[in-house]
Amino acid sequence: MGEIIDGKILSMQIKDELKVRNAEFEKKFGRKIKLAVVLVGENPASKVYVRNKIKSAEYIGIESLSFYLPEDAEEDEVLKLVKTLADDSSVDAILVQLPLPAHISEEKVLDIIPVEKDVDGFSDRNVGKLTLGKECIAACTPEGIIELLKSKNIELTEKNAVVIGRSNIVGKPIALLLLRENCTVTVCHSKTVGLKEICKEADIIVAAIGKPEFVKADMVKEGAVVIDVGINRTENGLKGDVDFLSVRDKASFITPVPGGVGPMTIAMLMKNAILCAERRESRNGL
Ligand code: NAD
């Protein structure tokens, strides 16, 4: 039976390390790190995520400024707020919780966040740098996945990794990070033919589909490492994209939902906020 990779415990350890790093920052630069959080609308999942992010920031000692706009806020209003935060020299990092209501262009909003404040790593320039293998702020969920794998000393070099899902926030960036770790990466999506056969060849499967218990045991090779990114609210509670009980029997390692990738995403967000502030101070010092 596969070993569970506990993202809750690992994220707590990381947050404790970040607490120390944050205190060192404050001591050295005589100020607090400031993270601006923007939430538009009433999406219940987004509200929970934002609450948890703010709680983690408090725990570490990062000051969070929260901005809540109603569901029917005009696009211009959101753009104006983000522009103000972008221009505010006291703000180190900006997080706009996605998804935005349908009438607001995510692209336009994300485009206003300067690359150096882009704590989520979603801006064109951060994604470009990630693609080129340059130093960057990488998206938090994919970064968290790499940390989970490394925490168990799972060898990545030469391994076949199959990513199911090609979204900009999970599928594509995790494929790039795994490539950086010398995996041979296959990215599958809704139009992939022969998904089951492709998955059966994988040493590592990352499931980021958004369909409850989509990955079944017959898609998984004996001894594979299975990372479940999915968060699906069902009548039977929160479910991942992996049929946990049956897949666990075959996997060597597996992440649970909840308590796997989710908490790591928040820990990486906090790390990125500190990185934004540290890099800003080092630029100021030049
Ligand atoms: P998305 O909807 O943007 O992308 C889903 C991807 O799955 C698409 O690329 C699509 O091609 C692929 N897909 C859909 N049906 C498929 C099929 N039948 N076969 C193969 N591929 C298929 O979703 P996303 O934003 O990448 O999120 C995926 C899941 O991860 C969701 O459940 C989301 O809630 C969760 N998520 C979790 C975290 C976290 O911190 N744990 C962060 C982001 C997203």
Side-chain angles (χ1 to χ4, degrees):
M1 201 192 295
E3 186 183 333
I4 290 177
I5 316 180
D6 190 326
K8 225 172 158 179
I9 292 178
L10 181 61
S11 68
M12 272 318 294
Q13 286 165 359
I14 292 174
K15 283 196 275 188
D16 282 336
E17 287 163 19
L18 293 175
K19 205 171 182 172
V20 175
R21 192 162 145 191
N22 181 69
E24 282 166 359
F25 179 96
E26 280 185 18
K27 198 168 160 208
K28 189 163 172 195
F29 299 108
R31 69 176 185 88
K32 275 184 147 332
I33 295 173
K34 254 192 210 176
L35 167 69
V37 180
V38 178
L39 174 64
V40 186
E42 299 293 329
N43 181 322
S46 293
K47 280 175 152 175
V48 174
Y49 295 148
V50 162
R51 201 180 320 130
N52 289 340
K53 287 169 185 176
I54 290 171
K55 246 168 69 184
S56 288
E58 263 169 28
Y59 179 78
I60 290 165
I62 294 172
E63 187 179 337
S64 59
L65 310 169
S66 328
F67 300 89
Y68 300 105
L69 294 179
E71 188 79 32
D72 60 356
E74 301 273 340
E75 186 179 78
D76 271 354
E77 199 183 333
V78 181
L79 291 172
K80 213 168 136 189
L81 169 63
V82 177
K83 178 81 175 78
T84 307
L85 297 170
D87 293 340
D88 183 340
S89 61
S90 77
V91 171
D92 293 292
I94 303 170
L95 162 78
V96 177
Q97 184 64 42
L98 301 181
L100 291 170
H103 65 282
I104 299 172
S105 157
E106 287 184 358
E107 197 184 331
K108 279 194 202 165
V109 173
L110 293 181
D111 271 354
I112 294 186
I113 303 175
V115 63
E116 63 276 12
K117 295 189 182 187
D118 174 26
V119 69
D120 259 332
F122 291 159
S123 71
D124 295 4
R125 273 182 65 197
N126 266 321
V127 176
K129 285 176 178 210
L130 178 67
T131 310
L132 296 172
K134 291 185 175 176
E135 189 179 81
C136 64
I137 300 281
C140 303
T141 302
E143 272 205 311
I145 294 172
I146 299 291
E147 289 291 326
L148 285 165
L149 293 168
K150 290 195 168 168
S151 74
K152 292 292 176 187
N153 296 316
I154 293 166
E155 184 58 53
L156 299 176
T157 297
E158 296 182 357
K159 293 295 159 64
N160 271 339
V162 171
V163 176
I164 318 176
R166 58 173 162 182
S167 71
N168 290 339
I169 62 169
V170 189
K172 284 182 198 157
I174 187 57
L176 289 165
L177 288 179
L178 288 167
L179 198 58
R180 196 185 266 191
E181 299 293 336
N182 301 315
C183 287
T184 301
V185 183
T186 307
V187 182
C188 299
H189 47 80
S190 54
K191 302 281 186 276
T192 297
V193 177
L195 180 69
K196 187 168 157 182
E197 280 62 42
I198 297 170
C199 288
K200 275 167 91 171
E201 293 296 313
D203 303 306
I204 299 160
I205 295 180
V206 178
I209 311 148
K211 296 203 162 134
E213 301 179 327
F214 180 90
V215 176
K216 305 285 184 199
D218 65 355
M219 297 167 76
V220 178
K221 181 171 85 175
E222 200 73 46
V225 175
V226 181
I227 304 291
D228 190 350
V229 185
I231 301 178
N232 306 292
R233 286 168 174 78
T234 75
E235 281 175 358
N236 302 319
L238 210 61
K239 298 279 177 202
D241 286 348
V242 175
D243 186 6
F244 181 81
L245 289 177
S246 69
V247 171
R248 189 182 175 194
D249 281 341
K250 286 184 108 178
S252 55
F253 291 95
I254 187 165
T255 60
V257 177
V261 174
M264 290 301 292
T265 299
I266 298 187
M268 292 300 106
L269 182 80
M270 297 300 125
K271 188 204 71 183
N272 284 350
I274 295 178
L275 253 182
C276 288
E278 287 173 346
R279 288 187 182 158
R280 178 170 154 211
E281 289 298 344
S282 83
R283 277 194 305 276
N284 287 346
L286 288 179

